Amino acid sequence: GTLLYGRSERLTPGEIAIVRAVLTGCTSNKALAEKFVTSWKTQHIHMSRILQKAGAVDRVQLVLMCVGRMEAPKCISEIEW
């Protein structure tokens, strides 16, 4: 990744793992915290960064970008699912 947020910044491997978890049903910060053994607050921060990098307003829009239902920025479209 780079230091600046924006639609061109790459997701980190950890952020990609979180996106994959969301795509497979971990839809709350609590569920993500349990899966990744962190606090819900940490997951909230990670999700905020992911949404900001992807230019998504919420997890629904993020998922739609990932499954090709909406135009996705490079940081999402370059992930090999």
Side-chain angles (χ1 to χ4, degrees), residues 2-69:
T2 62
L3 295 176
L4 299 175
Y5 287 142
R7 292 178 64 97
S8 63
E9 185 178 2
R10 288 195 169 117
L11 297 178
T12 67
E15 290 168 339
I16 292 169
I18 292 169
V19 172
R20 285 187 172 128
V22 170
L23 288 170
T24 58
C26 285
T27 57
S28 71
N29 291 332
K30 182 179 177 185
L32 290 167
E34 290 172 3
K35 180 172 180 64
F36 293 103
V37 192
T38 61
S39 72
W40 70 268
K41 184 71 171 172
T42 298
Q43 290 306 317
H44 174 77
I45 291 167
H46 287 310
M47 278 308 303
S48 294
R49 289 181 181 155
I50 291 166
L51 294 173
Q52 187 173 14
K53 287 179 180 183
V57 296
D58 57 23
R59 293 167 205 236
V60 172
Q61 187 177 13
L62 179 67
V63 168
L64 291 173
M65 288 175 174
C66 292
V67 298
R69 301 285 182 193

